[in-house]
Amino acid sequence: MSKFEELIRDLEAGKVRVAEKADGEWRVNAHVKELILDGFKAGQLTDMSVAGMPFFDKDTLPVHEFSISDKVRIVPGGSSVRCGAFIAPSVIIMPPSYVNIGAYVDEGTMVDSHVLVGSCAQIGKHVHLSAGTQIGGVLEPAGALPVIVEDNAFIGGNCGIYEGTIVRESAVLGSGVIITSGTKVYDAVNGRYLPKASGGRTEIPAGAVVVAGSRPLSTGPGASEGIHIYTPVVIKYRDGKTDASVELEQALR
């Protein structure tokens, strides 16, 4: 068995992760990402078609194989999980969704319809990724931090989280919120823009409730025309009312 094949086995078992949290900080296991890249380079294009569904990909990157003993609920309708992704028991994947190599999706999480969990993304326990959400992937550069969504976060429909953003525990993102490393996020509760985390990453604080907003241009021709640009806004921090509004119906689980 090659090092890459061993890595895929350990990633799928949750024994190895692309990024891990220690002392409150997330750290990348760069050698894991490098081995994943090696697997892409080594593979040869092959026919992976099944009846009525043509697929052609690198032979080093087959789909993740599940059995009923994995206790993962994958609803019929066209979802796919690539090899090297960890999907914990009690995760629900609604169709059609895609989970890429190196991703880690922890127990009790809902991956709703048309969701992308990109390469190496780290998704915590009891997270809700609502329909149409895009969690960006990253394989290069080897030291870059992947997108991280911590436990009990709620990500609304059609959100986009990219470029190493960290969404801390129990945060709530309203529908349509887009966050990148260059996004300025305004905290209306404390009257300030959120500071960037290490490496220039955007970090959403624990329990923050974020909605899509805007801010006026302060200079240039656009300012005199009253042009606004997109800015996510922290409108409050999570409370009992918020918890009630995002509570998942247990009957669905």
Side-chain angles (χ1 to χ4, degrees):
M1 182 180 293
S2 69
K3 286 185 177 180
F4 178 75
E5 290 170 327
E6 291 179 9
L7 174 66
I8 292 301
R9 179 191 61 191
D10 289 343
L11 284 168
E12 292 181 353
K15 295 179 180 179
V16 171
R17 296 180 64 167
V18 173
E20 297 178 282
K21 193 175 183 181
D23 300 323
E25 296 296 326
W26 285 91
R27 296 181 176 86
V28 172
N29 295 320
H31 69 282
V32 175
K33 292 178 66 179
E34 289 169 355
L35 276 174
I36 291 174
L37 286 171
D38 288 343
F40 276 92
K41 295 172 184 176
Q44 300 296 320
L45 190 63
T46 187
D47 188 343
M48 297 182 178
S49 303
V50 296
M53 293 184 290
F55 295 106
F56 307 93
D57 200 0
K58 295 289 188 76
D59 56 6
T60 50
L61 302 168
V63 295
H64 190 309
E65 294 185 2
F66 291 94
S67 69
I68 192 66
S69 63
D70 293 314
K71 299 181 179 179
V72 174
R73 184 178 170 191
I74 304 177
V75 178
S79 296
S80 182
V81 179
R82 210 174 202 174
C83 70
F86 172 77
I87 310 295
S90 73
V91 167
I92 301 171
I93 300 177
M94 299 296 290
S97 295
Y98 184 70
V99 183
N100 207 349
I101 189 170
Y104 187 103
V105 183
D106 216 336
E107 62 187 42
T109 285
M110 165 76 82
V111 179
D112 215 333
S113 299
H114 296 92
V115 167
L116 165 68
V117 180
S119 57
C120 305
Q122 305 291 294
I123 311 297
K125 294 180 173 66
H126 306 292
V127 171
H128 190 121
L129 302 177
S130 298
T133 286
Q134 306 285 296
I135 306 296
V138 57
L139 288 175
E140 297 183 88
L145 188 71
V147 173
I148 293 165
V149 181
E150 293 189 341
D151 297 351
N152 301 305
F154 186 97
I155 311 300
N158 296 306
C159 287
I161 309 174
Y162 308 105
E163 297 177 351
T165 295
I166 301 177
V167 178
R168 291 291 185 179
E169 186 171 352
S170 298
V172 176
L173 271 57
S175 296
V177 170
I178 308 295
I179 301 177
T180 70
S181 61
T183 303
K184 284 188 173 183
V185 181
Y186 186 72
D187 185 345
V189 177
N190 297 300
R192 60 170 188 153
Y193 285 99
L194 295 178
K196 293 294 182 180
S198 61
R201 301 187 305 275
T202 300
E203 182 173 319
I204 303 302
V209 179
V210 184
V211 300
S214 66
R215 59 187 171 93
L217 290 174
S218 58
T219 60
S224 60
E225 294 293 333
I227 301 300
H228 285 59
I229 59 174
Y230 168 75
T231 299
V233 179
V234 178
I235 56 169
K236 67 176 185 177
Y237 284 81
R238 196 161 175 168
D239 54 22
K241 186 177 180 180
T242 308
D243 293 342
S245 68
V246 299
E247 184 177 359
L248 304 180
E249 297 85 350
Q250 290 305 312
L252 293 177
R253 298 177 175 274

